[in-house]
């Protein structure tokens, strides 16, 4: 455990790990995009027009000073952003650990003693550092090409589910009061109301399997259309999942249609997940099942919330309001942090995005933006402000119980009117600006 090492050794070790993580993130940012893969990272094959790479180019942070020589290929200043990413992780990872150690997540309350091979703080630190790393990759790829690859969100969601089943204390903490005083416990899917017991019955098992199955179905590559009616549209969707379109229309040499590799991979993932969920329900202690079920609910709520906003926005604006990558991103965040944190992330993301959009619109008249980075920013704000945000919100909002979902449904119904009003105001201001 890190706590067994002297502080100076912990700082040096975490700084070294942070620099390595930053180098990996830079590699992923330039290697994982769908469309804009670029040979910028020294860990990728160099551009054919670039001079030979040196071993010193692969040294985190420092290597970017030497890679400046490739500016004619990648553009002036291309090396600044990746170098800053590695500096942020070199400094930020040790800081994040000691922030956790100082009670940053608990508001200074005492943290329970170590559990098994790890401690609460170290589990929080590792799991949340993984989440932040995944959001880093998603943010910069989304900035570059306005997509969030499934390479990030699918493994990230599976990782969150595995951690939740194996380490139930990785979940965000909340303060409970009992006869012995105040205590820190992992947040559960019913917080801040008492934890019910129905999810320990067969109903809970089928709900978890249903959520996982719906997530897999949503990820499948498919064609969705109601142009030919519901029944035929359903057949087209199923057929597109199992048998993709032919790559040639030649009547003589028709290629045999095989399932998409993504379809096969997701089928294997569903089968493994099905047996893993059943095993967890039957064999793991109740605390572990509580944690896994909470991650499942977070996955469903995060993805479902953004998917609903996406559908409503498309109807109101008559164009794509959010990409499907935003849906899978919020599903991943919900699996890591729970549905309550996912819901609280949205207002922070919306405020940050609104400020940026207004600023860009005033300067460049550009109102389009990638929303994924702001979802990540909102999640980060919530994470670092958890100790003060959650106690307030659990008392002022989440105590409503089922009525809270009525409020959310009403907000979703009113959203088209707000979006239409926004479009109307934008049209007025644009016409006035053009007239001037």
């Amino acid at each position: 455990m890190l706590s067994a090492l002297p502080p100076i050794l912990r700082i040096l070790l975490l700084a070294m790990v942070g620099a390595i993580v930053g180098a990996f993130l830079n590699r992923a940012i330039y290697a994982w995009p769908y469309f804009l893969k670029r040979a910028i990272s020294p860990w990728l094959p160099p551009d054919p027009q670039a001079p030979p790479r040196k071993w010193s180019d692969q040294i985190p942070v420092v290597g970017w000073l030497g890679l400046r020589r490739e500016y004619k290929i990648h553009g002036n200043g291309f090396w600044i952003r990746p170098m800053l990413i590695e500096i942020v992780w070199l400094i930020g990872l040790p800081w994040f650990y000691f922030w956790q150690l100082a009670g940053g997540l608990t508001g200074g309350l005492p943290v329970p003693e170590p559990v098994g091979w790890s401690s609460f703080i170290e589990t929080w630190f590792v799991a949340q550092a993984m989440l932040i790393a995944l959001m880093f990759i998603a943010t910069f790829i989304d900035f570059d090409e306005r997509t969030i690859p499934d390479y990030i969100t699918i493994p990230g969601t599976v990782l969150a589910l595995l951690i939740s089943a194996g380490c139930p204390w990785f979940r965000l903490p909340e303060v409970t009061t009992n006869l012995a005083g105040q205590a820190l416990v992992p947040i559960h899917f019913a917080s801040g109301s008492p934890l019910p017991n129905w999810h320990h019955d067969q109903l809970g098992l089928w709900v978890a399997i249903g959520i996982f199955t719906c997530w897999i179905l949503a990820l499948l590559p498919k064609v969705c259309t109601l142009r030919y009616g519901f029944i035929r549209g359903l057949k087209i969707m199923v057929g597109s999942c199992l048998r993709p379109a032919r790559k040639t229309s030649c009547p003589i040499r028709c290629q045999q249609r095989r399932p998409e590799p993504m379809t096969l991979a997701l089928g294997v993932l569903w089968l493994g997940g099905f047996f893993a969920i059943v095993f967890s329900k039957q064999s793991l202690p109740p605390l572990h099942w509580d944690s896994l079920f909470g991650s499942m609910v977070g996955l469903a709520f995060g993805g479902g919330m953004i998917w609903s906003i996406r559908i409503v926005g498309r109807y109101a604006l008559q164009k794509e309001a959010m990409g499907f990558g935003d849906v899978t991103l919020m599903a991943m965040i919900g699996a890591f942090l729970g549905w309550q944190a996912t819901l609280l992330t949205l207002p922070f993301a919306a405020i940050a995005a609104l400020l940026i959009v207004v600023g860009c619109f005033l300067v460049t008249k550009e109102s389009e933006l990638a929303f994924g980075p702001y979802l990540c920013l909102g999640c980060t704000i919530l994470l670092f402000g958890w100790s003060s945000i959650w106690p307030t919100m659990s008392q002022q909002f989440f105590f409503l119980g089922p009525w809270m979902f009525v409020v959310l449904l009403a907000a979703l119904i009113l959203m088209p009117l707000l979006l239409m009003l926004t479009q109307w105001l934008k049209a007025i201001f644009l016409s006035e600006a053009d007239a001037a």
Side-chain angles (χ1 to χ4, degrees):
M1 294 190 300
L2 284 173
S3 57
L5 299 175
I8 186 63
L9 287 182
R10 279 184 272 178
I11 293 174
L12 293 176
L13 176 62
L14 290 171
M16 182 176 66
V17 172
I20 295 173
V21 170
F24 170 78
L25 298 186
N26 278 322
R27 184 188 186 283
I29 288 168
Y30 295 111
W32 290 0
Y34 290 132
F35 310 110
L36 297 178
K37 292 180 172 62
R38 301 168 68 192
I40 291 179
S41 170
W43 299 96
L44 295 171
D47 190 280
Q49 301 178 358
R53 293 270 171 87
K54 305 175 183 178
W55 67 268
S56 58
D57 296 336
Q58 296 181 346
I59 301 176
V61 181
V62 179
W64 292 103
L65 299 177
L67 282 171
R68 290 180 299 173
R69 63 184 181 273
E70 297 184 4
Y71 73 94
K72 292 183 179 179
I73 300 172
H74 306 300
N76 291 325
F78 79 94
W79 54 276
I80 296 176
R81 188 183 82 177
M83 186 177 72
L84 289 177
I85 289 175
E86 293 178 8
I87 290 175
V88 165
W89 277 86
L90 184 148
I91 299 173
L93 197 65
W95 176 86
F96 185 54
Y97 172 78
F98 284 97
W99 175 80
Q100 294 271 26
L101 200 62
L105 201 61
T106 65
L109 291 175
V111 178
E113 292 297 320
V115 178
W117 54 270
S118 184
S119 70
F120 277 75
I121 287 178
E122 289 176 357
T123 307
W124 292 333
F125 166 70
V126 172
Q128 292 162 16
M130 288 179 178
L131 173 61
I132 294 172
L134 291 167
M135 292 194 298
F136 249 80
I137 302 172
T139 292
F140 288 103
I141 291 180
D142 207 8
F143 273 139
D144 289 343
E145 67 171 27
R146 294 189 178 180
T147 63
I148 300 177
D150 292 338
Y151 314 133
I152 303 167
T153 54
I154 294 178
T157 303
V158 173
L159 179 64
L161 297 176
L162 291 174
I163 296 175
S164 66
C167 304
W169 50 93
F170 103 103
R171 308 196 65 77
L172 290 170
E174 65 174 339
V175 180
T176 61
T177 303
N178 51 35
L179 296 178
Q182 289 185 329
L184 284 173
V185 298
I187 192 172
H188 52 75
F189 70 90
S191 298
S193 302
L195 181 66
N197 291 320
W198 62 265
H199 64 292
H200 288 290
D201 300 330
Q202 288 299 112
L203 176 60
L205 174 63
W206 288 112
V207 168
I209 292 174
I211 290 173
F212 189 75
T213 301
C214 289
W215 178 62
I216 294 292
L217 291 175
L219 295 171
L220 284 173
K222 53 189 173 294
V223 175
C224 298
T225 179
L226 296 177
R227 184 180 302 174
Y228 308 107
F230 178 78
I231 300 299
R232 192 174 178 188
L234 184 62
K235 292 180 179 179
I236 292 174
M237 184 183 71
V238 174
S240 64
C241 291
L242 301 178
R243 297 188 303 165
R246 296 190 189 278
K247 300 194 182 290
T248 177
S249 58
C250 175
I252 301 175
R253 294 184 300 171
C254 289
Q255 296 181 4
Q256 183 179 0
R257 290 184 290 184
R258 295 182 175 88
E260 293 276 6
M262 187 67 169
T263 300
L264 293 174
L266 289 172
V268 172
L269 178 60
W270 179 85
L271 192 63
F274 176 86
F275 287 109
I277 292 170
V278 174
F279 172 81
S280 300
K281 174 65 174 64
Q282 302 297 333
S283 303
L284 292 182
L287 182 62
H288 292 250
W289 174 250
D290 292 344
S291 176
L292 177 59
F293 192 82
S295 282
M296 287 289 183
V297 174
L299 184 160
F301 185 84
M305 177 178 63
I306 299 299
W307 205 343
S308 300
I309 294 174
R310 183 172 184 252
I311 293 172
V312 170
R314 185 181 182 89
Y315 169 78
L317 302 178
Q318 296 299 307
K319 63 179 181 178
E320 196 73 45
M322 282 186 178
F324 191 72
D326 298 327
V327 176
T328 59
L329 175 66
M330 281 299 272
M332 181 186 75
I333 292 173
F336 266 101
L337 302 183
W339 73 271
Q340 300 95 331
T342 304
L343 177 59
L344 294 175
T345 290
L346 195 58
F348 293 113
I351 293 171
L354 180 63
L355 294 176
I356 297 298
V357 167
V358 170
C360 291
F361 181 74
L362 293 176
V363 175
T364 66
K365 304 304 180 185
E366 175 64 42
S367 60
E368 303 292 334
L369 85 162
F371 195 54
Y374 303 100
L375 292 174
C376 296
L377 177 60
C379 177
T380 305
I381 293 172
L382 173 70
L383 190 61
F384 285 101
W386 177 258
S387 61
S388 57
I389 294 172
W390 174 249
T392 302
M393 294 305 299
S394 63
Q395 296 176 9
Q396 297 184 359
F397 183 66
F398 288 95
F399 79 94
L400 292 173
W403 287 104
M404 180 181 56
F405 294 98
V406 177
V407 175
L408 294 176
L409 181 60
L412 188 64
I413 293 173
L414 292 174
M415 184 176 294
L417 299 177
L418 178 61
L419 291 175
M420 292 176 183
L421 176 62
T422 303
Q423 288 291 95
W424 178 65
L425 292 174
K426 188 169 73 172
I428 291 177
F429 285 118
L430 280 175
S431 60
E432 289 180 353
D434 293 339

